[in-house]
Amino acid sequence: MKAVTWQGRRDVRVEDVPDPRIEEPTDAVIRITSTGLCGSDLHLYEVLTPFMTPGDILGHEPMGIVEEVGAAVPDLMAGDRVVVPFQIACGNCWMCLNSLPTQCETTQVTGEGMGAALFGYTRLYGAVPGAQAEYLRVPQAQFGPIKVPDGPPDDRFVYLSDVLPTAWQAVAYADVPQGGSIAVLGLGPIGDMACRIARLRGADRVFGVDLVPERLERARARGVQTYDLRDFDDEKALVAAIRDETDGRGPDAVIDAVGTEAHGSAAARLVQQAATLLPRKIAGPLAERFSVDRLAAVYTAIDLVRRGGTLSLVGVYGGTADPLPLLTMFDKQLQIRMGQANVRRWTDEILPHLTDEDPLGVEDFATHRVPLAEAPHAYEMFQRKQEGAVKVLMTP
Ligand code: NAD
Ligand code: ZN
Ligand code: ZN
């Protein structure tokens, strides 16, 4: 089959690889009909390269048709239409039973000290072959795949794999009071969807920050009060502008939907780039011991949120020694919640909103749909934010 493979820094290629097969009774194999490109893939494309191995198959946002199931997957059969969550979880360990499939004790990558295995996401998360491919082996298929009805286009359901539960969890964790206010930093697919969900769940004021014109415009068109980072001399000025809109206090909650590749200080950027250029044997441990993050967005979020407010970190960070302004965080009495989305925890809350009326606008959420063969161009376009690319779906 064809699959998108990682070959090196900013180098992905579509290659022929062996077809996946059922290996365990709890496996399924699906034929992929749509598969997303995510901001998380961009981390692998450039910053997290020390944790990648050439030939790794990328991708974690698939849907498709079940081809084959193992003997211990009673609820699926060939021909079923399914969306596959980006994380692999068993559904019956202590963590899964407590709605934390990201911490699944059956699939935890204990050798790396990490939580549940993820599709297509570095050796830290189990080096599981990913979903930007024609076929996917789905481990723990007795729990993960979400059956969806035939009929509506893939676009209605494909975001159940990642974008929807991630944005939903970000908003749930933000804990905005009814009629309250929230700011979302970063208006990529995750931040954009978080703004939509915040409105749906009753936030009164939604502020959005980015620096890409068409992303700001997309959010503005759905009622978000937007701020272009480039219009401000520094982050302080941005924070002051939003505070002015919230009785001088700041929003009740702030979501950081940017993550480690924030545009910010040049010095931090230099360290990060240096790490990606080092030999892999050195760069891996270095990245684990020292920060490779750019923290511009998280610092802004800490400054911006009102005293006693909630910070919801959904953007992915990777360093282990980032200095944080703990003095301020403690003094402001902040509540911080973060993590990978516990996908199946939110499915039942989200599904009723995926209707013909399409209140979240999922059916025209993708800006680009391209053949899998064009993945190298899609990665480059999405990373450079060219051609108006906000969300890219690939068709194998
Ligand atoms: P993206 O890269 O398209 O979006 C990031 C956006 O942040 C871009 O539009 C960029 O212009 C903007 N930005 C950069 N610096 C900024 C700054 N200082 N202030 C405000 N905006 C800034 O990616 P995405 O797909 O929307 O994902 C966003 C983040 O969420 C990524 O870090 C991704 O890894 C993470 N993510 C987490 C989960 C999870 O389960 N927690 C799941 C999916 C994605
Ligand atoms: Zn993703
Ligand atoms: Zn489990």
Side-chain angles (χ1 to χ4, degrees):
M1 68 163 182
K2 302 268 183 226
V4 180
T5 61
W6 183 93
Q7 298 295 341
R9 183 165 169 262
R10 285 204 202 157
D11 181 5
V12 303
R13 294 180 211 162
V14 179
E15 298 210 312
D16 283 309
V17 301
D19 287 348
R21 293 175 299 109
I22 300 282
E23 292 172 23
E24 301 285 335
T26 46
D27 287 353
V29 171
I30 71 158
R31 177 173 58 80
I32 295 173
T33 53
S34 292
T35 188
L37 178 52
C38 178
S40 297
D41 295 321
L42 293 182
H43 306 324
L44 313 182
Y45 193 52
E46 180 139 26
V47 177
L48 292 179
T49 55
F51 303 110
M52 299 295 290
T53 308
D56 281 353
I57 301 174
L58 297 166
H60 58 263
E61 302 189 348
M63 71 176 290
I65 307 292
V66 175
E67 282 274 314
E68 206 184 337
V69 294
V73 185
D75 298 332
L76 285 186
M77 51 189 235
D80 283 346
R81 190 184 193 200
V82 292
V83 182
V84 182
F86 70 85
Q87 73 222 194
I88 302 166
C90 76
N92 54 36
C93 70
W94 191 92
M95 286 291 175
C96 285
L97 293 174
N98 283 282
S99 300
L100 288 165
T102 52
Q103 316 301 323
C104 174
E105 287 169 338
T106 306
T107 74
Q108 271 178 13
V109 186
T110 45
E112 300 281 352
M114 302 300 277
L118 309 179
F119 287 105
Y121 215 73
T122 77
R123 66 175 164 77
L124 293 176
Y125 286 104
V128 183
Q132 288 163 4
E134 290 178 304
Y135 294 90
L136 178 70
R137 173 182 162 238
V138 182
Q140 305 295 335
Q142 79 288 352
F143 177 66
I146 303 154
K147 268 201 262 188
V148 296
D150 292 327
D154 277 8
D155 299 61
R156 183 171 307 181
F157 302 116
V158 67
Y159 304 115
L160 284 168
S161 58
D162 184 341
V163 174
L164 284 166
T166 297
W168 196 274
Q169 177 170 300
V171 174
Y173 279 9
D175 207 17
V176 183
Q178 277 297 316
S181 56
I182 185 166
V184 178
L185 306 182
L187 298 171
I190 301 298
D192 183 345
M193 188 55 77
C195 290
R196 300 177 190 203
I197 292 169
R199 308 266 333 222
L200 187 82
R201 292 177 52 124
D204 190 32
R205 306 281 305 275
V206 181
F207 306 97
V209 182
D210 205 296
L211 51 152
V212 180
E214 61 272 14
R215 294 180 179 216
L216 290 158
E217 181 47 42
R218 242 163 89 105
R220 197 154 47 234
R222 297 188 72 101
V224 177
Q225 195 167 332
T226 57
Y227 294 80
D228 187 337
L229 198 58
R230 296 167 310 168
D231 292 343
F232 298 89
D233 287 339
D234 56 19
E235 276 89 356
K236 283 269 169 227
L238 168 75
V239 167
I242 299 178
R243 252 187 217 148
D244 277 350
E245 297 286 323
T246 50
D247 298 326
R249 290 191 196 100
D252 297 310
V254 177
I255 292 176
D256 172 352
V258 179
T260 179
E261 285 168 69
H263 290 264
S265 96
R269 197 186 169 109
L270 206 66
V271 172
Q272 194 174 44
Q273 279 174 348
T276 65
L277 294 172
L278 286 171
R280 302 164 45 75
K281 275 207 171 72
I282 306 172
L286 192 74
E288 277 169 285
R289 278 188 38 232
F290 300 100
S291 166
V292 292
D293 289 334
R294 286 185 243 152
L295 290 170
V298 78
Y299 284 134
T300 305
I302 291 165
D303 196 16
L304 176 59
V305 66
R306 74 156 161 79
R307 287 180 175 272
T310 308
L311 204 57
S312 174
L313 293 188
V314 65
V316 168
Y317 289 92
T320 56
D322 296 311
L324 278 176
L326 275 166
L327 175 79
T328 308
M329 291 158 73
F330 185 81
D331 179 63
K332 287 184 78 171
Q333 209 157 118
L334 300 191
Q335 316 205 27
I336 304 185
R337 306 184 71 188
M338 60 180 127
Q340 304 277 4
N342 295 293
V343 175
R344 291 305 308 260
R345 171 168 179 191
W346 310 109
T347 316
D348 292 346
E349 286 180 39
I350 297 169
L351 267 167
H353 301 286
L354 304 181
T355 57
D356 286 345
E357 289 69 40
D358 196 11
L360 292 171
V362 291
E363 290 192 25
D364 56 9
F365 192 68
T367 52
H368 291 69
R369 189 176 256 287
V370 303
L372 193 73
E374 289 173 23
H377 174 68
Y379 268 79
E380 191 181 343
M381 170 179 75
F382 182 49
Q383 191 200 34
R384 299 196 171 160
K385 304 180 175 57
Q386 291 164 339
E387 301 173 43
V390 182
K391 189 68 190 181
V392 183
L393 293 178
M394 293 187 276
T395 314

